Amino acid sequence: MSPVSPETTSVGWIGTGVMGAAMADRLLDAGYALTAFNRSPEKVEPLVQKGAKPAASPREVAEHSDVTITMVGYPDDVRQVVLGDDGVLAGARPHSILVDMTTSSPALAVEIAAAAAERRVRSLDAPVSGGDVGAKSGALSIMCGGDQEAFNALAPLLDVLGKTIVLQGGPGAGQHTKMVNQTLIASGMIGVCEALVYASRAGLDLETVLKSVSGGAAGSWSLSNLAPRMLKNDFAPGFYVEHFLKDLGLALAEADRMRLCLPGLALAKQLYNAVAAAGGERDGTQVLVRVVADLNGQPWGTNGG
Amino acid sequence: MSPVSPETTSVGWIGTGVMGAAMADRLLDAGYALTAFNRSPEKVEPLVQKGAKPAASPREVAEHSDVTITMVGYPDDVRQVVLGDDGVLAGARPHSILVDMTTSSPALAVEIAAAAAERRVRSLDAPVSGGDVGAKSGALSIMCGGDQEAFNALAPLLDVLGKTIVLQGGPGAGQHTKMVNQTLIASGMIGVCEALVYASRAGLDLETVLKSVSGGAAGSWSLSNLAPRMLKNDFAPGFYVEHFLKDLGLALAEADRMRLCLPGLALAKQLYNAVAAAGGERDGTQVLVRVVADLNGQPWGTNGG
């Protein structure tokens, strides 16, 4: 397969939420001809203003595209958008490429790869990490699984979207790698929140504590980037709790399927369930500190940050 | 108080294990006159070869020193070395300074500060993070609690030992900050080990996975520095499991005393208990990955690194 390019490759984009819209926008800026679909059509408008063509269904997107990219919400959405009657595979041209960038089930990625192959469509699962900031700046980590030739051909396009782009293996390997990523974040967040609540209870000044612990063996991205927001009671979403809960659920379901015992991951899910129960689904993941503080009879913001 | 200096300040050093010996060695290199004691006298020999004077007891060290530093094993050792009949405070000169750099109990630090004050001795608790590498290179994080004036006066000496040196508050605040540090590491290590075992079970190539997840929101010191050792089956101690178990026990005891619910910290202690049960006390903390793998019926090194 020859590499994609703005001159020769038509791209379809399905799913224009916060992440999808920012990523599709970068492809338009890079010069790709884009056909776009979203369940709520008004969310496609800003892309259409910049030259994208709107389509009436995922199927119609795929009929016009050499490469079709999906970035939707939940695995059920992926299933419908890709495998449904009006889905991508119903319209996809032979020898086209399908890329699902939704964080979704590894098993579904395998199923989609098989269905795509039957129609002579190559497929990749390619979930991302890096949030809306990374989506806007093209600095995402893109974790890929699937067809090596398709991955190679897509390199120029993925370079527009991400900075760290790695093929992890066959179908589902990208999704599995995203689960690894979220497993790391999950226990790390517990540590950050427990550490801050301990520090607060012990009467320490939290900003001063961060000076001692952020630069050494206890350091992490979460500690450097999210703990300061916790101290300012800034719970605005970089990454939504409801999306993290989805990811933790997917990771635990895969763990169950593989008969894995991951008590830290399970604990994180329980604590984020408590965040949701307290109404925090639309907050950023750093709001976990409130639940850990509440658990300790010490409302955050009084002794906290 | 005037700042300490190699020209005017005699230093006493008690406890010449791996960390203590490296730190005392740096003070000798900086030109400080040193009197040293260790329970096993042969461990003082290398310092004596470089000009340190050996002493027969902590009391004798203190009798000769303007600043006496302790770096021993457990809180019971600190109690004996500082408060015992032949301890530091039995010999300490009025207006001298006592610095306990052992990771020890915050409550004991408060008790020592009070006993020191009665003898007109100023005291600091000043545990460190950074391991033997940081001790040798003078790059430790030193977390201090206690007397502000003593902290100010000691600045030139602490600068020889550490890079990040912060007074966190009154007596015990240094120890509490170290507990915060270990609480962060504890849950972070669970995340790293569970993530690698998940990746291994999912059939991913672990080195390739680290390329995708190390640089972003899942990144941490442990992931960047210890995961690669796990993959090489390198369990040599940077930090001994038995010392980490001590620290986790101290942190949980303090949490109990403060009535804190810290489930991640408690889980880490349980898992490290399993490491000890499997004979890993003299391995480095990264050996936890073996226990998490064993827990999953997947001996590390077969599917793992």
Side-chain angles (χ1 to χ4, degrees), chain B residues 135-155:
Chain B
K136 280 173 191 149
S137 63
L140 296 169
S141 172
I142 309 179
M143 296 159 259
C144 302
D147 189 283
Q148 172 87 58
E149 282 189 54
F151 177 79
N152 294 346
L154 278 175

Side-chain angles (χ1 to χ4, degrees), chain A residues 80-81 88 102 136 139 158 175 195-198 203 213 242 274 287:
Chain A
Q80 189 189 340
V81 153
V88 172
T102 316
K136 281 174 190 149
L158 295 177
Q175 297 297 351
L196 290 181
V197 169
Y198 178 107
V213 303
E242 64 183 349
V287 78

